[in-house]
Amino acid sequence: MSKPIRASSVLPGHREDIELHTADGLRLVGELALPADRPPAATLICLHPLPTHGGMMDSHVFRKAAWRLPALADVAVLRFNTRGTSSLRGTSEGAFDAAVGERYDVAAAIEYAEFAELPNIWLVGWSFGTDLALKYGCDPAVAGAILLSPPLRFSAPEDLATWAGSGRPLVALVPEFDDYLRPAEARERFAAVPQAEVVGVPNAKHLWVGDAETVLDEIVRRVNPAVAVPLPTTWDGPMETGDVSAYADRTVASFADTPVPGPLANRAD
C-alpha cells in the first residue's frame, strides 16, 4: 500500500557517516547517501547555508534530498558540515571563515567524491553555499552547479567569469520573494555567464519552506534527466521516519537579525 512521503520520511538507501580531510588539516563530518541496490547515476555535493545563521548539512532541503533522492532518482547525496559547523552528525573542526578557508572544505568534498568514484558530480549550493560553489567549485571533476537562493554576497565578478569560461552548466533557482536577489536582478547578474539558466520560482522565499519538492524536482531534472518529474509523492515499500524535531531551533529564520560577518554585513542570510 502506498504511503505519502512526508518531511520526516526516509526512503530506502545506504547511508554512512563520512569524514572529509582538508588540505589545511581539518576534519569535517558528513554523510554519504547512496541507492540501496544499484549504482548512482549522478552525485550531489551539498554546500549548506550560512552556519552563523543556522545553516548546516541537515538544513531541510538537503536533508530531504538525502532521505529521498537515492530511492526516487538514483542520485547519491554527499552532505557535510563546513568548518566550525554543528548538527546532530557532529561538529566539524575549525571555525567559520567567511568563505575564505572554506575553499579547502569544497576541495575536500570534491576529492572525496572523486576517490569514491562517484559519477556525474554536481554541486548544489544554498545561499552561502552558492557563493562557495561559484568561488571554488569550477573544478574539472564537477559537471555543473545548481544554486538555490544565490545572494551573490561573497562571490565576485571574476568567479562568474571563471564559470563563463568553463562552459559548465550553471542553474540558479531564485525565489520570487527572495530577501536578497530576486529573479529579474538575478537574470541581470548572471548574464555574465552565457550558459547560466535562471529559474524564477513563483511564490517561493529564501528558505524554500513549503517548496522543497519543487527544488528537488528541478535538481533531478538537470542531474538525471532519465527520471520523470515531478517526483512521486507516495512510496509503495519500506519507509522509515526520521527525527526532524531536533532541527526546529536551528532554522535559518531563527537567526534573521544576527549580523553577518563579511561582505554585505548589514544583511542576514
Side-chain angles (χ1 to χ4, degrees):
M1 178 179 176
S2 293
K3 294 173 285 187
I5 298 172
R6 305 187 186 281
S8 59
S9 299
V10 183
L11 305 187
H14 176 74
R15 297 174 179 87
E16 60 177 306
D17 291 343
I18 63 171
E19 292 185 354
L20 309 180
H21 298 273
T22 69
D24 61 341
L26 299 181
R27 180 185 62 86
L28 313 179
V29 300
E31 180 201 78
L32 176 62
L34 297 165
D37 55 3
R38 55 195 178 276
T43 304
L44 306 180
I45 295 178
C46 300
L47 305 175
H48 60 68
L50 200 63
T52 55
H53 287 52
M56 56 178 170
M57 63 178 276
D58 295 315
S59 293
H60 78 101
V61 173
F62 292 160
R63 185 178 70 243
K64 291 168 185 172
W67 287 358
R68 300 180 192 178
L69 296 189
L72 294 179
D74 295 338
V75 171
V77 180
L78 191 164
R79 54 196 178 115
F80 68 100
N81 287 330
T82 56
R83 55 190 57 209
T85 302
S86 298
S87 71
L88 287 188
R89 168 68 182 90
T91 300
S92 290
E93 293 178 348
F96 174 71
D97 198 27
V100 178
E102 285 83 0
R103 68 182 304 152
Y104 300 113
D105 305 354
V106 176
I110 295 172
E111 181 181 47
Y112 186 99
E114 281 191 283
F115 185 79
E117 299 183 337
L118 297 173
N120 190 19
I121 300 169
W122 284 72
L123 302 180
V124 181
W126 179 2
S127 195
F128 173 68
T130 68
D131 283 315
L132 298 185
L134 290 171
K135 290 176 71 66
Y136 309 125
C138 197
D139 183 278
V142 171
I146 299 173
L147 312 177
L148 314 179
S149 306
L152 295 177
R153 168 181 302 163
F154 294 93
S155 51
E158 53 265 33
D159 301 314
L160 293 178
T162 297
W163 278 94
S166 75
R168 291 186 178 86
L170 190 65
V171 181
L173 302 184
V174 182
E176 179 182 6
F177 300 118
D178 194 81
D179 298 300
Y180 315 114
L181 187 70
R182 296 190 175 186
E185 183 184 357
R187 291 186 179 97
E188 294 179 4
R189 301 283 297 276
F190 281 102
V193 185
Q195 74 273 23
E197 178 186 6
V198 176
V199 180
V201 181
N203 300 314
K205 296 183 179 180
H206 190 77
L207 303 181
W208 300 105
V209 175
D211 290 293
E213 287 72 23
T214 298
V215 171
L216 297 183
D217 286 345
E218 293 296 331
I219 290 172
V220 171
R221 193 191 308 274
R222 273 76 183 184
V223 306
N224 191 6
V227 173
V229 294
L231 295 170
T233 58
T234 61
W235 180 255
D236 185 9
M239 182 167 64
E240 298 179 0
T241 299
D243 179 11
V244 299
S245 62
Y247 308 107
D249 63 346
R250 292 184 58 84
T251 175
V252 180
S254 299
F255 299 83
D257 297 323
T258 304
V260 180
L264 301 185
N266 61 319
R267 294 184 180 179
D269 196 355

